[in-house]
Amino acid sequence: MTLKLDNVSKTYTLGAFSGKTLRAVRNVSFDVRPGQVVSLIGESGSGKSTVGRMILRLTSITDGRISLDDEDITTLRGGDLKGYYRKVQGVFQDPFSTYNPIFRVDHVFENIRRSYFPGVALSEWTGRLETSLRSVNLDPGLVLGRYPHQLSGGQLQRVLIARALLLDIKILVADEIISMLDASTRIDVLNLLAELKARGLGIVFVTHDLSLGNYISDTTVILRYGAVVEMGATEKVFGDPRHAYTKSLLAAVPQLHHRWEDEGFGDTSMPVELPTARGDAPKLTAVEPDHLVAG
Amino acid sequence: MTVSGKDEPPPRPLAPATPAVAALPAAVAPVRRRNEALYYALRNRKLVIGFTIVLVFLLIAIIGPSFSRHEPLAYDGPPGIGPSADYWLGTTMFGQDIYSQFVSGLRASFLVGLFGGGLAAIVGMFIGFIAGYRGGIVDEILSMLTNIVLVIPTFAVLLVVAAYLSVRGIGSEAVFIGFTSWPWAARAIRSQTFSLTSRDFVDMARLSGRSTLQIIFGEIAPNMSSYLLLTFILLFGGAVLTAATLDFIGLGPTNGISLGLMMNYSVMNAALQLGMWWWFIPPGIAIAAIVGALYVMNVGLDEVFNPKLREA
Amino acid sequence: MLTVDNLSIAYRALSGDVLALKNASFSVADGEIMGLAGESGSGKSTLGRALIKLDNRMRHVSGTVSLDGETLPIDDDRAMIPYRFKRVSIVPQYAMSALNPTRRIGRMISELLTSRGMDFDKLRPELERRLLLVDLPVEVLTRYPIELSGGQKQRVVTVISTLLNPSLLIADEITSALDVSTQKAVARSLVEFRDRGFIKSAIVITHDLSILAQMADSILVMHGGRLVERGSVKAIVDAPMHPYTKHLIGSLPEVGVRYADRKLAGVSGLNAALEAMSSPDGDRDRPLREISPGHWVAAWGQA
């Protein structure tokens, strides 16, 4: 069940008549295989969340092709799209926005039941819910029947993962799912993702935090202004970065036991690269097996 | 700067043996949402007073006619007498029982309000939800439609309609009001829907395979239920007032009686100059009181739903 | 020089007052950048805010704060006005929203200074000099905020907050949720200003220990409204003593550390640490003791 992105692009038109376009994502290609975690790493404006949304078909794809197991999902609609969501699901950044605040958290499960398991008896369904919640280390009794504001961010995110697991998903898109959580809960959710990966789930891990990406991913894709600048096996990209941007990113990561080495302040050019002035993505060349660099 | 509720979890059960961490009180007691609304509702003077007034008139409209001793339009009684034992609110210039007319008229007003306002609410919701949720070209077309209807001079249209329909009833009046007063409701609902559609929980519902209608009525509308209620109340009040106005200038139903019609007749027959206050004051007060009370109720309800508006 | 003595602050909640800060005592020397670290709910933000402006829900219960030998009237909003911006200043969290999008930066600054009775023209040369020091061209003043990157905006805000050379600068989560390169620029500019003497001392509030390791001289760790450990950056990072500090340090994923190599401990580690820090009868409010010069640790376990 491989998810394949082939030259995917997203272009927004600004205003009805201005003719200006914003190329948010440019020619991005990568694969996600079962049991593989792919990190999409980038700063704000890099297009990483847009890629995640395109995989989830929440944003339309302007150019290129996304396929799951060779089946083109780029323009699926209606029942076919619903079927796609049985295999691919997502969790977002802000747990308190992902839940409809006027309903209990059970509502997210109810929606799944109504869409995909209408015939299942209530007792059987409750059993499945409990199994799913336990598999994400949550006690069903402490979670079911509660309102979102009564639970912590970590619990809410894990409930969403449990929801996704009710379907037999192959790919999970995790878009900055831990950036709003406490340090300790972050680790727990990360470790959970690693466990799920070991059980065969493919994960697209969107983040701006390099150390998190490094912790659990097998493959790393570095995005800048919508285009891939470097990608490959995580140890190769982090261990032997070739692109100037990757190097500056790594040099900027604050670490406990190393001080920043250089003296600069970071990107100081002005004006900032305008998103409307972007050309085609630079071509990627392989510098070694499983390690591609732009330019 | 206030404490952000998002970063501060409520005392969360870490592990059975460990007492919960003392947390800042940003997120507090377990849910009492509906009870909380009711609690504040019962304490809001505007809401209570407004509601009581409307309720009183409604009861009169429902029960009143069973006490009528005469047909509203029958020329039974002595013409132009004031309130008396037999004719509680006196009679018209033509000897019609004003009490009877009044309670029937009240009924008619409430009915027009309900159906006219209700129809406007339904059309407004339909258009507002779809325009707000879909956006894009659908929104542009629906907004254009809304603007056109908004700009139509309803009075002129009504004159034309009146010319064609020689017999008009309450039903057609309600339909007319319903189809001409929905635009502002559609606009308001559209903008609320816009802001809710961009929330993550709508995306999550899409990922759960929910259809457009299921999302609109399952996720978005419940989230704006208080707003919809406020909108309906305003439409109801507006319909009552519009109907009264139309009746007053003679463009209302051709049969039956209504408060506006009573005002119309009383003015046409110089009731003011003749001092027959019992003819125009009851219907006038009733219209003003009902519509006013509805608007006041609305303000009160807004305060109940919107904690920031509360004074206390 | 800042001295905080036995400071306690409570929050007004529906069910009564909750102590968010309990008997905090510490000092920050001139020239020192102290990191104030802790998770959400630890009381670090309350402490930071108490030093500059108590909002309506906060109540000063006990204790004193003195800056350069002078007691700060923290519970009197009016009396604090002459101190704010000039003696104590704060860098807000989201520079993006601190800058008015409809005003050019220069105009905004001049309006701000004028409203505080200052002469913009007199301060302008110094303003320009400082902008250049953090690698911002002077033409920044003629631009609208939207024309600047996040890092540039944050640096502008830092320059503005420190324009009058405050004795103490409070930075509340100024690097959270920012891109790494922006974080670096922001952290760097703060250190630069301290080095140049524009600010005497700073308190950097954050949950991110690794950024403190880059910019702070000392770290104060808080939990549950109490101070848990205080020491130099080196001591805290390389040899933490308190179980909670150890857990915090140990739960940071670092570049180079992978799940396959070493699985980090999450909430279970936290629980173990909290268990360890309580006294035998479950009390978590333990006194701070100086175990070596400049290194204080709260008592834990049996001690």
Side-chain angles (χ1 to χ4, degrees):
Chain A
M1 269 281 164
T2 306
L3 178 78
K4 198 166 152 49
L5 273 79
D6 194 1
N7 237 331
V8 172
S9 298
K10 177 71 188 171
T11 307
Y12 291 103
T13 339
L14 304 174
F17 306 107
S18 70
K20 272 208 186 138
T21 55
L22 168 62
R23 304 185 67 178
V25 177
R26 302 180 277 160
N27 314 104
V28 170
S29 305
F30 63 87
D31 294 348
V32 186
R33 266 164 271 122
Q36 181 192 21
V37 178
V38 176
S39 281
L40 288 185
I41 297 187
E43 304 191 292
S44 42
S46 58
K48 58 190 191 298
S49 280
T50 312
V51 172
R53 287 179 66 87
M54 285 196 285
I55 294 174
L56 291 173
R57 289 297 316 283
L58 292 172
T59 302
S60 62
I61 299 152
T62 317
D63 241 316
R65 187 182 122 108
I66 300 184
S67 53
L68 184 65
D69 243 11
D70 284 328
E71 197 191 309
D72 192 344
I73 60 109
T74 318
T75 49
L76 285 186
R77 301 172 62 106
D80 294 328
L81 188 58
K82 196 166 156 179
Y84 176 62
Y85 288 146
R86 267 182 190 271
K87 303 182 220 138
V88 177
Q89 276 294 331
V91 181
F92 306 125
Q93 179 174 18
D94 185 353
F96 292 98
S97 177
T98 321
Y99 287 83
N100 195 329
I102 62 174
F103 295 128
R104 295 173 206 270
V105 301
D106 308 42
H107 182 73
V108 300
F109 294 124
E110 257 312 288
N111 275 344
I112 294 284
R113 190 184 71 81
R114 277 185 270 177
S115 289
Y116 296 102
F117 304 101
V120 174
L122 187 59
S123 51
E124 148 111 40
W125 179 249
T126 314
R128 290 196 204 184
L129 280 192
E130 290 180 4
T131 312
S132 201
L133 284 169
R134 289 213 186 84
S135 72
V136 296
N137 302 319
L138 282 176
D139 178 354
L142 292 175
V143 160
L144 289 175
R146 298 285 171 116
Y147 282 89
H149 68 270
Q150 293 176 290
L151 299 177
S152 73
Q155 287 172 310
L156 292 174
Q157 295 295 56
R158 277 183 284 173
V159 168
L160 289 174
I161 296 176
R163 165 197 165 278
L165 294 178
L166 279 173
L167 302 158
D168 188 23
I169 58 166
K170 307 290 175 220
I171 306 278
L172 178 72
V173 177
D175 187 353
E176 300 266 27
I177 66 174
I178 58 179
S179 59
M180 295 184 86
L181 305 179
D182 268 1
S184 312
T185 334
R186 272 187 201 190
I187 302 296
D188 277 353
V189 175
L190 269 185
N191 288 344
L192 173 62
L193 287 182
E195 279 169 48
L196 292 173
K197 161 196 136 127
R199 283 190 256 157
L201 184 64
I203 301 177
V204 179
F205 188 69
V206 179
T207 182
H208 65 276
D209 189 331
L210 286 100
S211 24
L212 294 178
N214 173 244
Y215 184 61
I216 59 161
S217 62
D218 307 295
T219 307
T220 298
V221 176
I222 311 258
L223 287 169
R224 183 186 199 217
Y225 296 142
V228 179
V229 296
E230 189 160 353
M231 63 185 269
T234 301
E235 14 353 313
K236 293 184 184 174
V237 172
F238 279 80
D240 182 18
R242 300 295 182 95
H243 196 277
Y245 179 67
T246 316
K247 291 186 197 172
S248 76
L249 262 192
L250 281 167
V253 175
Q255 299 194 57
L256 270 185
H257 303 286
H258 302 281
R259 284 264 170 162
W260 286 315
E261 275 137 21
D262 63 343
E263 288 300 311
F265 280 98
D267 183 13
T268 57
S269 60
M270 227 164 91
V272 175
E273 172 173 319
L274 292 172
T276 49
R278 295 176 187 167
D280 276 338
K283 279 240 163 312
L284 293 169
T285 43
V287 295
E288 53 175 337
D290 204 10
H291 191 175
L292 297 156
V293 183
Chain B
M1 267 196 289
T2 50
V3 176
S4 157
K6 285 180 195 163
D7 303 330
E8 323 270 87
R12 53 184 192 271
L14 299 170
T18 316
V21 174
L24 289 169
V28 181
V31 165
R32 261 188 246 119
R33 276 230 155 90
R34 289 197 197 110
N35 300 339
E36 186 191 324
L38 198 58
Y39 173 86
Y40 282 110
L42 291 173
R43 273 160 190 68
N44 189 295
R45 275 207 318 248
K46 295 180 189 115
L47 179 57
V48 171
I49 292 176
F51 183 68
T52 312
I53 293 176
V54 175
L55 192 61
V56 163
F57 279 104
L58 183 62
L59 284 173
I60 297 175
I62 295 175
I63 310 174
S66 42
F67 289 102
S68 293
R69 297 185 194 168
H70 310 268
E71 285 299 310
L73 297 171
Y75 302 108
D76 275 352
I81 62 164
S84 63
D86 200 22
Y87 296 93
W88 294 341
L89 284 178
T91 59
T92 70
M93 176 80 91
F94 313 106
Q96 297 156 315
D97 179 10
I98 288 183
Y99 169 82
S100 174
Q101 290 196 337
F102 180 70
V103 292
S104 299
L106 259 185
R107 251 197 202 183
S109 293
F110 274 104
L111 283 174
V112 171
L114 182 63
F115 289 117
L119 182 58
I122 289 174
V123 176
M125 282 204 285
F126 181 73
I127 293 187
F129 280 141
I130 296 194
Y133 181 75
R134 286 306 205 77
I137 192 83
V138 173
D139 176 31
E140 307 235 357
I141 293 175
L142 288 176
S143 291
M144 201 160 61
L145 174 65
T146 308
N147 289 332
I148 289 175
V149 177
L150 192 60
V151 164
I152 284 178
T154 41
F155 185 59
V157 173
L158 187 51
L159 282 176
V160 172
V161 168
Y164 273 96
L165 293 177
S166 47
V167 179
R168 304 182 296 275
I170 286 199
S172 32
E173 186 177 43
V175 165
F176 182 79
I177 291 177
F179 279 125
T180 51
S181 47
W182 60 263
W184 75 261
R187 275 240 184 118
I189 291 172
R190 168 183 172 271
S191 60
Q192 274 284 86
T193 306
F194 256 147
S195 69
L196 284 174
T197 301
S198 60
R199 301 269 291 272
D200 285 339
F201 63 77
V202 170
D203 281 340
M204 195 47 72
R206 287 167 71 184
L207 284 181
S208 300
R210 308 303 283 160
S211 69
T212 300
L213 280 179
Q214 286 169 330
I215 293 179
I216 287 177
F217 289 108
E219 307 284 333
I220 295 179
N223 228 296
M224 25 186 300
S225 55
S226 50
Y227 196 79
L228 293 173
L229 179 62
L230 290 172
T231 303
F232 174 68
I233 292 177
L234 278 180
L235 285 171
F236 186 96
V240 170
L241 190 56
T242 307
T245 313
L246 290 176
D247 296 349
F248 183 67
I249 57 178
L251 289 175
T254 48
N255 48 22
I257 189 71
S258 70
L259 297 177
L261 266 178
M262 287 175 75
M263 303 280 294
N264 184 355
Y265 292 147
S266 68
V267 166
M268 286 214 301
N269 291 288
L272 177 59
Q273 289 83 341
L274 293 171
M276 298 203 303
W277 56 267
W278 54 88
W279 197 358
F280 58 86
I281 288 203
I285 286 186
I287 295 170
I290 293 172
V291 177
L294 282 170
Y295 284 127
V296 167
M297 246 179 87
N298 225 6
V299 174
L301 260 183
D302 207 7
E303 283 173 12
V304 168
F305 292 135
N306 233 326
K308 294 180 197 165
L309 295 173
R310 289 180 204 149
E311 294 132 341
Chain C
M1 163 113 185
L2 174 79
T3 308
V4 174
D5 188 24
N6 232 341
L7 186 64
S8 294
I9 306 277
Y11 256 92
R12 269 183 264 271
L14 283 176
S15 42
D17 280 1
V18 173
L19 270 183
L21 185 65
K22 304 172 196 165
N23 306 107
S25 299
F26 65 92
S27 46
V28 182
D30 282 345
E32 182 179 349
I33 294 180
M34 181 185 90
L36 185 47
E39 307 267 88
S40 45
S42 60
K44 60 189 194 299
S45 287
T46 307
L47 174 51
R49 267 180 250 151
L51 297 176
I52 185 150
K53 183 182 171 78
L54 287 177
D55 71 39
N56 299 334
R57 286 185 301 160
M58 291 160 67
R59 194 167 63 84
H60 177 205
V61 172
S62 64
T64 57
V65 175
S66 37
L67 185 62
D68 298 332
E70 205 186 320
T71 310
L72 283 184
I74 57 173
D75 34 16
D76 187 346
D77 198 53
R78 274 261 165 99
M80 277 295 284
I81 291 180
Y83 291 92
R84 293 191 191 118
F85 205 40
K86 297 178 197 159
R87 305 280 302 280
V88 193
S89 192
I90 188 161
V91 179
Q93 183 171 358
Y94 292 110
M96 340 299 166
S97 33
L99 295 173
N100 188 338
T102 63
R103 287 269 188 279
R104 292 181 197 273
I105 304 226
R107 168 112 178 256
M108 193 213 101
I109 298 177
S110 97
E111 281 172 5
L112 180 66
L113 291 174
T114 317
S115 74
R116 285 173 192 271
M118 319 252 152
D119 189 340
F120 176 62
D121 294 313
K122 262 212 220 135
L123 288 164
R124 192 172 178 141
E126 181 62 22
L127 173 64
E128 292 181 0
R129 190 178 140 231
R130 296 195 184 186
L131 287 172
L132 288 169
L133 273 177
V134 292
D135 241 3
L136 285 171
V138 170
E139 58 165 336
V140 150
L141 294 175
T142 61
R143 301 284 175 148
Y144 285 97
I146 196 167
E147 297 174 81
L148 304 181
S149 71
Q152 291 168 327
K153 280 189 276 210
Q154 192 75 57
R155 279 172 359 244
V156 164
V157 172
T158 309
V159 167
I160 297 172
S161 306
T162 55
L163 195 54
L164 301 179
N165 293 356
S167 239
L168 176 68
L169 180 69
I170 300 166
D172 191 352
E173 299 276 14
I174 58 175
T175 55
S176 310
L178 288 183
D179 295 334
V180 274
S181 43
T182 315
Q183 287 183 17
K184 185 171 172 187
V186 168
R188 276 263 160 83
S189 34
L190 215 136
V191 174
E192 177 78 21
F193 283 164
R194 187 276 313 265
D195 291 344
R196 299 251 175 189
F198 300 154
I199 58 177
K200 284 220 202 112
S201 37
I203 295 182
V204 179
I205 305 173
T206 178
H207 61 274
D208 186 351
L209 280 165
S210 40
I211 200 118
L212 290 180
Q214 306 300 318
M215 63 187 289
D217 302 309
S218 63
I219 295 181
L220 174 56
V221 180
M222 287 186 67
H223 175 82
R226 286 230 167 224
L227 309 190
V228 156
E229 188 163 356
R230 169 134 169 70
S232 69
V233 158
K234 199 162 156 46
I236 299 283
V237 167
D238 292 335
M241 303 230 53
H242 195 276
Y244 181 70
T245 318
K246 284 189 190 166
H247 164 71
L248 272 190
I249 300 279
S251 67
L252 279 176
E254 287 210 77
V255 174
V257 174
R258 310 200 55 195
Y259 176 83
D261 311 322
R262 173 163 71 94
K263 180 173 159 181
L264 297 173
V267 172
S268 54
L270 172 66
N271 288 349
L274 294 176
E275 187 77 32
M277 75 190 252
S278 313
S279 70
D281 34 359
D283 181 18
R284 293 237 194 94
D285 293 341
R286 317 293 295 281
L288 262 181
R289 293 200 294 249
E290 190 167 12
I291 55 165
S292 63
H295 195 164
W296 285 266
V297 186
W300 79 87
Q302 301 291 331

